[in-house]
Amino acid sequence: MEVMTKESGTRAARDEDEIDLRELLGLLLDRKWLIIGSTLLFGVIGVAYALLAKPVFQAQAMVQVESKMPSIPGLADLTSLAGGGSSAATTEVALLTSRAVVGVAVDQLQLDIDVEPKRFPLLGGSIARRFEARSSGDVASPLLGLARYGWGGESLVIHNLEVPEFLLDEPLTLIAGDTRGSYVLLNSQNETLLDGVAGTSSQGQGVVLDVAQLHANPGTRFRVSKLRRLDVIAGLQKDIKASEQGKESGILRISYEDTDALRAEMLTQKVVEAYVRQNVDRSSAEAASQLQFVKDQLPTVRKQVESAQAAMASYQSRSNSVDITMQTKGLLEQEVAVEASIQQLRLKQAEMDRSFTREHPAYRALMNQIGGLQARKDGFRRDVSALPDTQQELLRLTRDLQVSNELYTALLNQAQQLDVARAGTVGNVRIVDSAVVDRSKPVAPRKLLIVLVALLLGSMLSIGGVFVLRMLNPGIEDPAQIEELGLPVYAAIPLSESNRLLATQKRRGRHKHGAADGQSHLLAKVEPADLAVEALRSLRTSLHFAMMEAKNNVLAISGPCPGVGKTFVAANLAAVIAQSGQRVLVIDADMRRGTVHKVLGVGLGKGFSEVLSGATQAGDVIHSVPGLGNMHYMTRGEVPPNPAELLMHPRFETLLETLAASYDLVIVDTPPILAVTDAVIVAAHAGSTLMVTRFGLNQPKEILLSMKSFERNGVQVKGAIFNAVEKRATGYHSYGYYEYASDKA
């Protein structure tokens, strides 16, 4: 036996760890209306949001960044010495969204002044967007007389707003006056700051306001705020998107999204124009800087030319016009070319010293070129050293003169080119597409997507909620679980729709002091063909054989907790037994909260408590149920101060013995076992005890604790009655055994 118990426990533990997909699917099917309802609710919310949310428009523009011109006209670009730049697009994107560029657009459009008419909550914005003005300045009439809200067509244009530091980012309220263009400005405490008229500048309490235009109904309110400029720029830097179209294409696409289509278009255009202007200014400044550098070098090079000319003239006068041989002339041409290149690269080195470190790749490439030319120059010097002294001297002087002349001429040409470039600089950026907004196709909200996401979210949350509720309330839904606890199930009573209706009527007819409504709610009497009554008839048959070996014909019915339906079972079980011809007595032993009289629709009066206290005789408080001559009842009576002590009095045992001899069956409805000890006292005198458990309410631990409470007092629970079983997609009550009913046709 011990081995079998261990195996059963192991198998049960393994079954608990396994996931029953059929059970999960059945749980969802059982709660399908909850899931469908929640999903539809979220869908309705999604549709409402999609219809009421402000549409978001996207402005787009496109610019082209062309290859950069050489730094000094006539010379190679510095970046070519390092193999070209690889981060030009990234640099231009950073420049385009820089604070300097975005700040220009903010200042020109005065985006640091936030103006918005107050709308009616939820629906006001949608109504205002649907207003169509017939003429310029036309404003929608207030709905329902609510003139404080804007209903469409309102406009407020502010040219200038200056506020003290403590009012920055603070919401102010501007109220349109009764006369055309008049207004009053209030702070957040509704204190007047100033009043004025559109078209004039007004001042008051440190606030300067210049309203250029005001079209609104008298009393309409506007929210006005002076925002911090840096905060506005920082926000726009995040919202403005710029990216290169294609790898190394030089085409930049700029986009910005806003609920105001006109503002989105104007801001994007201003940013693009400011970027182009900044590029032009940057190129012009670079050309001016290079021009100044060339002009600074011209006097020095000119002195070199003059010095070379004087040295040559002096040498020729001393040497009586010595001519250069053909060999010397060839060396001269090569050395002059190399020396001229070296001098030009030295100038470039001087320019690069202002912009690059000596470790920069472009700078190092330049030095490598100079080193190569210097090596060739040293080779020429070795060839020159083999010439006669007169030829060497003449070669040196001629070389210096020619190199100086060529360098001086090149600098003059460069100065002229840079001067022209500085005066007519256009930059290397041009606008390909100006900013434009497609007002017929807002980019947000994406209505279909929002509705689909809302439906998906609703279904996921409802399904998750079903699982969570099941985890939080793991009530027994299969009688097999009760039998696994060692308690046989005598009957499973399905939940009756008729019983629900009767219970509702009972609640509506409830009177003060626990009085009944005078109508019988005994299901076995008013709905004898109900499925729950059929299950009670099955219980009657099982109970007949179960009580054959009992010590008496007293049946105690209890339950683990309130609300399981023990009174319903006791009263209706007595009714079906009485209908079979046996004499049955129902005693309401729940002297605290007994409701047998309400089920029968009778008055409370004197009853069980008065009999136990000796105030009356049992025969005086026992009555027959109208329409059921074999069924009698005894109500609980008035609530006594000591119910448990009354049950422990010998008078109770004597009462049961007397009544048991007068009836075929005595059914005693007791209080819940886990609430009070009354049920144990009653069950100790009863021949049989049944425990009523409710579908989805009682947990296995609850039933085990109830059984142990009875066992500790020497009471053996005969079995369980599984009450209010609901139809499920899977499980015990899904087989449809109860669907067999009589044909009334």
Side-chain angles (χ1 to χ4, degrees):
M1 180 65 69
E2 184 179 356
V3 174
M4 293 180 62
T5 303
K6 290 183 178 179
E7 290 179 353
S8 300
T10 304
R11 183 168 61 255
R14 184 170 62 251
D15 293 341
E16 290 180 359
D17 292 338
E18 293 178 354
I19 298 177
D20 191 344
L21 295 180
R22 183 171 177 271
E23 182 180 354
L24 294 180
L25 180 60
L27 180 62
L28 296 180
L29 291 176
D30 295 335
R31 302 291 189 270
K32 59 181 179 295
W33 295 117
L34 173 62
I35 297 174
I36 293 173
S38 300
T39 302
L40 292 179
L41 176 61
F42 273 79
V44 170
I45 295 175
V47 171
Y49 175 78
L51 294 177
L52 298 178
K54 286 185 178 181
V56 178
F57 301 93
Q58 184 183 68
Q60 296 183 4
M62 191 172 293
V63 298
Q64 180 184 10
V65 182
E66 299 174 342
S67 299
K68 197 168 181 63
M69 300 300 294
S71 298
I72 299 180
L75 300 180
D77 188 6
L78 297 178
T79 57
S80 65
L81 298 173
S86 60
S87 59
T90 304
T91 302
E92 296 301 327
V93 167
L95 290 173
L96 196 150
T97 57
S98 64
R99 190 166 60 247
V101 173
V102 177
V104 172
V106 170
D107 294 338
Q108 291 179 347
L109 298 177
Q110 294 183 318
L111 297 180
D112 56 344
I113 302 176
D114 183 41
V115 177
E116 183 180 3
K118 289 188 176 182
R119 305 294 187 192
F120 187 78
L122 297 179
L123 301 177
S126 180
I127 295 174
R129 288 192 296 272
R130 286 166 173 75
F131 171 74
E132 296 182 359
R134 298 181 179 179
S135 60
S136 178
D138 192 11
V139 181
S141 300
L143 296 181
L144 304 176
L146 300 175
R148 64 180 300 163
Y149 298 109
W151 299 97
E154 300 82 15
S155 64
L156 173 62
V157 180
I158 298 178
H159 276 179
N160 182 40
L161 175 61
E162 299 177 9
V163 299
E165 183 70 20
F166 67 91
L167 286 180
L168 286 175
D169 294 328
E170 288 294 322
L172 307 178
T173 301
L174 186 144
I175 305 176
D178 295 333
T179 60
R180 183 178 181 84
S182 63
Y183 62 86
V184 60
L185 185 66
L186 310 177
N187 60 15
S188 57
Q189 287 77 35
N190 291 327
E191 298 173 349
T192 302
L193 297 177
L194 56 84
D195 52 21
V197 180
T200 61
S201 180
S202 302
Q203 298 183 10
Q205 300 189 29
V207 178
V208 178
L209 177 61
D210 184 2
V211 175
Q213 179 181 330
L214 174 60
H215 292 295
N217 293 313
T220 302
R221 298 178 175 237
F222 293 83
R223 296 187 183 92
V224 179
S225 299
K226 179 67 173 182
L227 308 178
R228 298 182 186 275
R229 181 176 181 273
L230 289 180
D231 294 342
V232 176
I233 295 174
L236 292 176
Q237 284 180 299
K238 296 178 181 179
D239 296 336
I240 296 174
K241 309 299 180 184
S243 60
E244 187 178 17
Q245 300 296 100
K247 187 177 181 180
E248 298 181 359
S249 64
I251 303 296
L252 299 182
R253 178 178 175 272
I254 302 95
S255 63
Y256 172 69
E257 298 178 358
D258 199 309
T259 55
D260 189 334
L262 179 60
R263 183 169 56 192
E265 182 176 335
M266 294 179 62
L267 175 62
T268 306
Q269 185 65 25
K270 292 297 183 182
V271 168
V272 171
E273 292 175 354
Y275 169 63
V276 173
R277 172 53 53 190
Q278 189 233 37
N279 178 267
V280 172
D281 295 341
R282 184 177 48 175
S283 300
S284 177
E286 184 178 354
S289 175
Q290 293 170 356
L291 176 61
Q292 185 61 41
F293 172 77
V294 172
K295 287 183 177 181
D296 292 341
Q297 299 298 321
L298 280 174
T300 302
V301 177
R302 183 174 181 178
K303 290 181 180 180
Q304 293 177 359
V305 172
E306 294 174 350
S307 177
Q309 289 176 346
M312 175 61 75
S314 175
Y315 178 78
Q316 288 179 342
S317 64
R318 294 196 310 269
S319 303
N320 296 321
S321 302
V322 178
D323 294 330
I324 298 177
T325 62
M326 294 297 294
Q327 179 183 5
T328 305
K329 188 175 182 180
L331 289 173
L332 175 63
E333 292 176 353
Q334 296 182 48
E335 191 171 2
V336 167
V338 171
E339 184 64 27
S341 297
I342 291 176
Q343 292 297 329
Q344 290 180 352
L345 292 177
R346 290 295 184 188
L347 288 175
K348 182 175 291 187
Q349 178 187 0
E351 180 189 1
M352 292 183 68
D353 283 336
R354 299 182 302 167
S355 304
F356 301 99
T357 64
R358 294 183 180 272
E359 299 299 326
H360 194 277
Y363 191 92
R364 296 175 64 179
L366 177 64
M367 296 306 298
N368 290 335
Q369 285 193 6
I370 294 176
L373 293 175
Q374 193 66 43
R376 292 183 60 188
K377 179 179 177 181
D378 294 340
F380 292 145
R381 288 182 177 179
R382 288 193 296 270
D383 295 337
V384 171
S385 63
L387 297 176
D389 294 341
T390 56
Q391 292 293 320
Q392 290 185 31
E393 183 66 16
L394 183 60
L395 177 63
R396 182 183 65 79
L397 295 174
T398 304
R399 179 199 63 200
D400 292 343
L401 180 58
Q402 291 185 7
V403 169
S404 299
N405 282 329
E406 289 185 9
L407 182 59
Y408 185 69
T409 302
L411 287 177
L412 288 176
N413 292 333
Q414 292 163 14
Q416 293 177 356
Q417 294 177 18
L418 286 171
D419 194 21
V420 173
R422 179 184 59 81
T425 300
V426 295
N428 64 322
V429 174
R430 67 185 183 92
I431 300 177
V432 177
D433 291 329
S434 298
V436 66
V437 174
D438 188 354
R439 289 173 170 79
S440 63
K441 295 180 180 179
V443 296
R446 300 174 63 178
K447 298 181 180 179
L448 180 59
L449 180 61
I450 289 176
V451 174
L452 292 177
V453 170
L455 291 173
L456 180 61
L457 181 62
S459 61
M460 292 177 61
L461 290 178
S462 58
I463 291 173
V466 168
F467 288 138
V468 170
L469 290 177
R470 178 58 180 163
M471 293 174 60
L472 295 177
N473 184 27
I476 293 178
E477 295 187 356
D478 194 334
Q481 295 177 265
I482 301 177
E483 294 185 345
E484 289 177 357
L485 302 176
L487 188 64
V489 177
Y490 273 47
I493 303 175
L495 182 65
S496 173
E497 294 294 334
S498 298
N499 187 37
R500 285 183 181 175
L501 178 61
L502 295 173
T504 302
Q505 293 175 347
K506 180 178 65 175
R507 286 194 298 269
R508 289 179 179 176
R510 186 173 297 169
H511 300 286
K512 294 182 180 180
H513 308 296
D517 58 2
Q519 297 181 4
S520 175
H521 299 290
L522 197 61
L523 188 64
K525 179 181 177 182
V526 297
E527 292 285 346
D530 192 275
L531 298 176
V533 178
E534 291 294 339
L536 288 170
R537 292 191 179 102
S538 175
L539 173 62
R540 177 186 63 188
T541 304
S542 301
L543 190 61
H544 172 74
F545 296 101
M547 295 190 65
M548 286 183 176
E549 299 179 357
K551 64 181 182 180
N552 56 39
N553 60 344
V554 178
L555 174 63
I557 295 181
S558 184
C561 62
V564 296
K566 56 182 182 58
T567 301
F568 164 80
V569 172
N572 285 277
L573 176 61
V576 296
I577 293 177
Q579 289 171 348
S580 68
Q582 299 184 37
R583 286 173 52 82
V584 182
L585 173 64
V586 177
I587 300 176
D588 191 352
D590 187 355
M591 289 179 283
R592 293 176 175 84
R593 300 177 60 183
T595 58
V596 170
H597 64 288
K598 294 182 179 180
V599 175
L600 300 178
V602 298
L604 184 59
K606 294 183 178 181
F608 185 60
S609 61
E610 283 79 8
V611 174
L612 293 184
S613 63
T616 186
Q617 298 297 318
D620 297 335
V621 295
I622 294 178
H623 307 281
S624 63
V625 177
L628 292 174
N630 292 327
M631 180 179 175
H632 297 77
Y633 66 90
M634 181 188 296
T635 63
R636 62 176 171 85
E638 295 297 330
V639 179
N642 54 346
E645 286 73 11
L646 289 178
L647 290 172
M648 295 179 67
H649 195 278
R651 192 180 291 114
F652 174 58
E653 182 178 1
T654 303
L655 175 64
L656 286 183
E657 292 176 353
T658 303
L659 296 177
S662 304
Y663 292 90
D664 296 321
L665 181 64
V666 177
I667 299 177
V668 184
D669 181 18
T670 68
I673 180 62
L674 298 182
V676 292
T677 62
D678 298 10
V680 174
I681 301 174
V682 174
H685 298 285
S688 301
T689 301
L690 294 180
M691 184 187 303
V692 179
T693 61
R694 190 178 182 90
F695 178 91
L697 176 63
N698 299 120
Q699 302 178 19
K701 292 182 179 180
E702 209 172 10
I703 298 176
L704 279 175
L705 185 60
S706 300
M707 293 172 60
K708 290 181 179 180
S709 297
F710 279 113
E711 291 174 358
R712 281 195 301 267
N713 293 274
V715 177
Q716 184 68 35
V717 180
K718 199 76 171 180
I721 301 173
F722 198 34
N723 188 34
V725 180
E726 299 179 18
K727 188 174 182 179
R728 289 288 185 258
T730 60
Y732 175 76
H733 203 43
S734 64
Y735 296 103
Y737 72 94
Y738 54 87
E739 295 293 346
Y740 186 79
S742 61
D743 188 358
K744 296 182 180 180

